[in-house]
Protein backbone atom coordinates (compact mmCIF):
# COMPACT_ATOMS: atom_id res chain seq x y z
CA UNK A 1 0.00 0.00 0.00
CA UNK A 2 3.02 2.31 0.18
CA UNK A 3 2.33 3.87 -3.22
CA UNK A 4 -1.36 4.26 -2.58
CA UNK A 5 -2.98 7.64 -2.12
CA UNK A 6 -3.28 9.07 1.36
CA UNK A 7 -0.15 7.62 2.87
CA UNK A 8 2.89 9.26 4.41
CA UNK A 9 3.05 13.04 4.31
CA UNK A 10 -0.15 13.47 2.29
CA UNK A 11 -2.01 11.33 4.83
CA UNK A 12 -0.66 13.50 7.61
CA UNK A 13 -1.74 16.62 5.72
CA UNK A 14 -5.22 15.24 4.94
CA UNK A 15 -5.70 14.34 8.59
CA UNK A 16 -4.74 17.87 9.70
CA UNK A 17 -6.68 19.78 7.03
CA UNK A 18 -9.81 17.68 7.55
CA UNK A 19 -9.46 18.21 11.30
CA UNK A 20 -9.25 21.99 10.91
CA UNK A 21 -12.27 22.05 8.58
CA UNK A 22 -14.33 19.89 10.94
CA UNK A 23 -13.27 22.06 13.86
CA UNK A 24 -14.60 25.16 12.11
CA UNK A 25 -17.82 23.40 11.09
CA UNK A 26 -18.45 22.10 14.60
CA UNK A 27 -17.81 25.56 16.07
CA UNK A 28 -20.34 27.15 13.71
CA UNK A 29 -22.95 24.42 14.27
CA UNK A 30 -22.44 24.77 18.04
CA UNK A 31 -23.17 28.50 17.79
CA UNK A 32 -26.27 27.87 15.63
CA UNK A 33 -27.51 25.19 18.04
CA UNK A 34 -27.04 27.45 21.05
CA UNK A 35 -28.84 30.41 19.44
CA UNK A 36 -31.70 28.30 18.09
CA UNK A 37 -34.79 27.53 20.13
CA UNK A 38 -36.23 24.03 19.69
CA UNK A 39 -36.90 23.33 16.05
CA UNK A 40 -39.41 21.11 14.27
CA UNK A 41 -38.92 18.78 11.34
CA UNK A 42 -39.58 21.37 8.63
CA UNK A 43 -37.14 23.91 10.10
CA UNK A 44 -34.53 21.16 10.48
CA UNK A 45 -34.95 20.17 6.83
CA UNK A 46 -34.89 23.79 5.67
CA UNK A 47 -31.66 24.38 7.55
CA UNK A 48 -30.06 21.30 6.00
CA UNK A 49 -31.31 22.26 2.51
CA UNK A 50 -29.89 25.78 2.68
CA UNK A 51 -27.27 25.75 -0.10
CA UNK A 52 -24.38 27.12 1.97
CA UNK A 53 -25.11 24.82 4.90
CA UNK A 54 -25.68 21.82 2.62
CA UNK A 55 -22.32 22.37 0.91
CA UNK A 56 -20.54 22.83 4.24
CA UNK A 57 -22.23 19.69 5.61
CA UNK A 58 -21.34 17.62 2.54
CA UNK A 59 -17.74 18.83 2.84
CA UNK A 60 -17.86 17.93 6.53
CA UNK A 61 -18.92 14.36 5.67
CA UNK A 62 -16.13 14.11 3.10
CA UNK A 63 -13.57 15.47 5.57
CA UNK A 64 -14.85 13.05 8.21
CA UNK A 65 -14.55 10.00 5.93
CA UNK A 66 -11.01 10.96 4.89
CA UNK A 67 -10.10 11.66 8.51
CA UNK A 68 -11.42 8.22 9.47
CA UNK A 69 -9.46 6.58 6.66
CA UNK A 70 -6.17 8.04 7.87
CA UNK A 71 -6.90 7.46 11.56
CA UNK A 72 -8.13 3.87 11.35
CA UNK A 73 -5.42 3.08 8.80
CA UNK A 74 -2.88 4.20 11.42
CA UNK A 75 -4.52 1.88 13.96
CA UNK A 76 -4.49 -1.05 11.50
CA UNK A 77 -0.84 -0.47 10.57
CA UNK A 78 0.11 -0.28 14.25
CA UNK A 79 -1.50 -3.57 15.24
CA UNK A 80 -1.51 -5.59 12.01
CA UNK A 81 1.42 -3.96 10.24
CA UNK A 82 3.51 -7.13 10.28
CA UNK A 83 0.84 -9.34 8.72
CA UNK A 84 0.55 -8.29 5.05
CA UNK A 85 -2.55 -10.35 4.18
CA UNK A 86 -4.45 -9.35 7.29
CA UNK A 87 -3.38 -5.75 6.82
CA UNK A 88 -4.57 -5.72 3.21
CA UNK A 89 -7.87 -7.31 4.13
CA UNK A 90 -8.54 -4.87 6.94
CA UNK A 91 -7.63 -1.87 4.79
CA UNK A 92 -9.85 -3.10 1.95
CA UNK A 93 -12.68 -3.67 4.41
CA UNK A 94 -12.22 -0.19 5.84
CA UNK A 95 -12.17 1.37 2.37
CA UNK A 96 -15.33 -0.46 1.28
CA UNK A 97 -17.06 0.42 4.55
CA UNK A 98 -16.22 4.13 4.21
CA UNK A 99 -17.36 4.21 0.57
CA UNK A 100 -20.66 2.60 1.65
CA UNK A 101 -21.12 5.21 4.38
CA UNK A 102 -20.26 7.94 1.85
CA UNK A 103 -22.95 6.71 -0.55
CA UNK A 104 -25.44 6.57 2.32
CA UNK A 105 -24.60 10.18 3.30
CA UNK A 106 -24.90 11.40 -0.31
CA UNK A 107 -28.33 9.76 -0.53
CA UNK A 108 -29.40 11.56 2.63
CA UNK A 109 -28.19 14.89 1.27
CA UNK A 110 -29.93 14.39 -2.08
CA UNK A 111 -33.12 13.41 -0.25
CA UNK A 112 -32.93 16.69 1.69
CA UNK A 113 -32.23 18.77 -1.41
CA UNK A 114 -35.12 17.35 -3.47
CA UNK B 1 2.90 -12.80 30.06
CA UNK B 2 4.91 -14.32 32.93
CA UNK B 3 8.30 -13.18 31.74
CA UNK B 4 7.81 -9.45 32.02
CA UNK B 5 10.66 -8.36 29.82
CA UNK B 6 11.08 -10.34 26.63
CA UNK B 7 13.30 -9.93 23.65
CA UNK B 8 11.48 -8.92 20.52
CA UNK B 9 12.02 -11.70 17.96
CA UNK B 10 12.48 -9.28 15.12
CA UNK B 11 15.18 -7.00 16.40
CA UNK B 12 16.36 -8.34 19.79
CA UNK B 13 15.24 -5.27 21.63
CA UNK B 14 13.59 -5.66 25.04
CA UNK B 15 9.83 -5.67 25.00
CA UNK B 16 7.64 -4.95 28.01
CA UNK B 17 4.09 -6.11 27.52
CA UNK B 18 2.41 -6.24 30.91
CA UNK B 19 -0.14 -3.62 30.11
CA UNK B 20 -1.54 -3.54 33.65
CA UNK B 21 1.91 -2.85 35.08
CA UNK B 22 2.84 -0.06 32.72
CA UNK B 23 2.15 3.27 34.39
CA UNK B 24 1.29 5.47 31.49
CA UNK B 25 2.28 9.14 31.90
CA UNK B 26 -0.54 11.67 31.49
CA UNK B 27 0.60 12.49 27.96
CA UNK B 28 0.23 8.79 27.12
CA UNK B 29 -3.21 8.63 28.72
CA UNK B 30 -4.44 11.53 26.58
CA UNK B 31 -2.87 9.93 23.53
CA UNK B 32 -4.40 6.47 23.95
CA UNK B 33 -7.78 8.03 24.79
CA UNK B 34 -7.48 10.03 21.57
CA UNK B 35 -7.19 6.76 19.68
CA UNK B 36 -9.86 4.87 21.63
CA UNK B 37 -12.29 7.78 21.32
CA UNK B 38 -11.73 7.91 17.56
CA UNK B 39 -12.35 4.18 17.10
CA UNK B 40 -15.43 4.37 19.34
CA UNK B 41 -16.92 7.18 17.24
CA UNK B 42 -16.24 5.24 14.04
CA UNK B 43 -18.10 2.25 15.49
CA UNK B 44 -21.06 4.44 16.45
CA UNK B 45 -21.13 6.26 13.11
CA UNK B 46 -23.69 4.02 11.31
CA UNK B 47 -26.15 4.56 14.15
CA UNK B 48 -25.58 8.33 14.06
CA UNK B 49 -26.10 8.44 10.29
CA UNK B 50 -29.26 6.37 10.78
CA UNK B 51 -30.51 8.92 13.34
CA UNK B 52 -29.73 11.76 10.94
CA UNK B 53 -31.62 10.04 8.13
CA UNK B 54 -34.57 9.26 10.40
CA UNK B 55 -34.79 12.84 11.68
CA UNK B 56 -34.76 14.26 8.13
CA UNK B 57 -37.03 11.67 6.50
CA UNK B 58 -40.45 12.81 7.76
CA UNK B 59 -42.15 14.59 10.68
CA UNK B 60 -42.88 11.14 12.17
CA UNK B 61 -39.25 10.12 11.75
CA UNK B 62 -38.18 13.38 13.35
CA UNK B 63 -40.33 12.66 16.40
CA UNK B 64 -39.12 9.07 16.51
CA UNK B 65 -35.49 10.24 16.46
CA UNK B 66 -36.26 12.81 19.15
CA UNK B 67 -37.99 10.18 21.32
CA UNK B 68 -35.01 7.86 20.86
CA UNK B 69 -32.48 10.55 21.75
CA UNK B 70 -34.35 11.62 24.86
CA UNK B 71 -34.82 8.08 26.21
CA UNK B 72 -32.60 7.42 29.22
CA UNK B 73 -30.33 4.70 27.83
CA UNK B 74 -29.57 6.89 24.84
CA UNK B 75 -29.11 9.99 26.96
CA UNK B 76 -26.38 8.15 28.83
CA UNK B 77 -24.89 6.95 25.56
CA UNK B 78 -25.13 10.52 24.30
CA UNK B 79 -23.29 11.79 27.35
CA UNK B 80 -20.56 9.19 26.81
CA UNK B 81 -20.42 10.12 23.12
CA UNK B 82 -20.20 13.81 24.05
CA UNK B 83 -17.30 13.05 26.41
CA UNK B 84 -15.51 11.01 23.78
CA UNK B 85 -16.13 13.61 21.07
CA UNK B 86 -14.92 16.53 23.19
CA UNK B 87 -11.84 14.60 24.29
CA UNK B 88 -11.00 13.71 20.71
CA UNK B 89 -11.54 17.33 19.63
CA UNK B 90 -9.45 18.90 22.42
CA UNK B 91 -6.70 16.27 22.12
CA UNK B 92 -6.74 16.98 18.38
CA UNK B 93 -6.27 20.72 18.93
CA UNK B 94 -3.35 19.82 21.20
CA UNK B 95 -1.80 17.75 18.41
CA UNK B 96 -2.28 20.63 15.95
CA UNK B 97 -0.51 22.98 18.36
CA UNK B 98 2.34 20.52 18.79
CA UNK B 99 2.54 20.27 14.97
CA UNK B 100 3.11 24.02 14.96
CA UNK B 101 5.89 23.41 17.48
CA UNK B 102 3.99 24.86 20.37
CA UNK B 103 4.04 22.78 23.54
CA UNK B 104 6.25 19.91 22.48
CA UNK B 105 8.57 20.33 25.47
CA UNK B 106 7.78 17.90 28.27
CA UNK B 107 6.52 20.37 30.87
CA UNK B 108 4.11 22.10 28.49
CA UNK B 109 3.09 18.75 26.99
CA UNK B 110 2.10 17.53 30.47
CA UNK B 111 0.23 20.73 31.21
CA UNK B 112 -1.71 20.63 27.94
CA UNK B 113 -2.53 16.96 28.61
CA UNK B 114 -4.12 17.93 31.91
CA UNK B 115 -5.83 20.83 30.15
CA UNK B 116 -7.40 18.35 27.69
CA UNK B 117 -8.67 16.10 30.51
CA UNK B 118 -9.99 18.92 32.69
CA UNK B 119 -11.28 20.95 29.75
CA UNK B 120 -13.23 17.90 28.56
CA UNK B 121 -14.86 17.48 31.97
CA UNK B 122 -15.85 21.15 32.06
CA UNK B 123 -17.28 21.20 28.53
CA UNK B 124 -19.21 17.95 29.12
CA UNK B 125 -20.69 19.33 32.36
CA UNK B 126 -21.60 22.60 30.62
CA UNK B 127 -23.25 21.03 27.57
CA UNK B 128 -24.69 18.14 29.59
CA UNK B 129 -26.40 20.62 31.93
CA UNK B 130 -27.82 22.48 28.94
CA UNK B 131 -29.20 19.31 27.34
CA UNK B 132 -30.48 17.28 30.29
Amino acid sequence: MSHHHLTGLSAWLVQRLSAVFMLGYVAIVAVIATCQAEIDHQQWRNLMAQPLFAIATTMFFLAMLMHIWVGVRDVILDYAGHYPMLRLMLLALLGAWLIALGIWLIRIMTMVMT
Amino acid sequence: MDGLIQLDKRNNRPRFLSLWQIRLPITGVVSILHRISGVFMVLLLPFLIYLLQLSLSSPEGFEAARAMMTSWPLRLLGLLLLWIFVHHLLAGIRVLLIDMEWGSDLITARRTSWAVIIGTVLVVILIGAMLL
Side-chain angles (χ1 to χ4, degrees):
Chain A
M1 292 293 283
S2 59
H3 300 294
H4 199 272
H5 289 299
L6 291 191
T7 58
L9 184 62
S10 67
W12 180 89
L13 199 62
V14 163
Q15 196 176 33
R16 267 61 180 181
L17 289 178
S18 59
V20 171
F21 181 85
M22 288 192 288
L23 213 53
Y25 180 90
V26 166
I28 290 170
V29 168
V31 171
I32 295 176
T34 323
C35 298
Q36 200 99 32
E38 243 178 66
I39 57 171
D40 61 23
H41 172 253
Q42 198 52 50
Q43 290 168 313
W44 172 226
R45 253 187 102 122
N46 290 346
L47 174 68
M48 286 291 280
Q50 229 171 58
L52 201 63
F53 195 74
I55 292 170
T57 302
T58 308
M59 282 176 69
F60 174 86
F61 291 150
L62 189 67
M64 180 181 71
L65 292 176
M66 296 200 300
H67 195 81
I68 293 174
W69 166 258
V70 177
V72 178
R73 177 184 155 273
D74 281 348
V75 174
I76 292 173
L77 293 187
D78 275 355
Y79 303 127
H82 291 290
Y83 310 96
M85 273 314 288
L86 178 66
R87 188 181 64 198
L88 188 67
M89 269 171 52
L90 290 175
L91 287 176
L93 208 64
L94 174 65
W97 178 241
L98 292 181
I99 288 171
L101 290 186
I103 292 172
W104 190 6
L105 286 168
I106 289 171
R107 288 189 56 176
I108 293 176
M109 290 313 288
T110 46
M111 170 195 67
V112 170
M113 303 298 285
T114 48
Chain B
M1 287 290 145
D2 43 332
L4 290 182
I5 295 180
Q6 297 182 323
L7 288 184
D8 193 303
K9 287 186 192 74
R10 287 183 301 274
N11 54 18
N12 274 342
R13 289 166 68 191
R15 187 160 76 164
F16 186 80
L17 266 184
S18 288
L19 290 180
W20 58 90
Q21 285 195 11
I22 294 175
R23 283 200 55 206
L24 214 51
I26 190 65
T27 48
V29 171
V30 167
S31 177
I32 192 67
L33 284 178
H34 196 186
R35 170 164 287 195
I36 293 171
S37 59
V39 170
F40 189 86
M41 284 191 288
V42 169
L43 293 177
L44 271 184
L45 191 57
F47 176 65
L48 296 176
I49 298 177
Y50 165 75
L51 266 186
L52 177 71
Q53 186 182 35
L54 186 65
S55 72
L56 287 166
S57 61
S58 64
E60 294 76 32
F62 185 82
E63 288 311 319
R66 190 206 291 273
M68 231 189 270
M69 281 164 70
T70 48
S71 69
W72 272 106
L74 274 193
R75 277 191 185 193
L76 291 178
L77 183 71
L79 208 60
L80 180 68
L81 183 64
L82 179 66
W83 186 301
I84 274 165
F85 174 73
V86 174
H87 179 93
H88 198 85
L89 192 145
L90 293 183
I93 293 175
R94 178 175 175 273
V95 171
L96 288 174
L97 290 174
I98 289 176
D99 281 347
M100 295 189 291
E101 301 193 343
W102 186 87
S104 52
D105 65 291
L106 192 52
I107 292 173
T108 317
R110 282 192 187 129
R111 279 188 189 144
T112 51
S113 296
W114 279 111
V116 167
I117 303 243
I118 295 166
T120 302
V121 173
L122 292 179
V123 173
V124 168
I125 290 175
L126 188 74
I127 300 179
M130 276 161 61
L131 291 181
L132 289 183

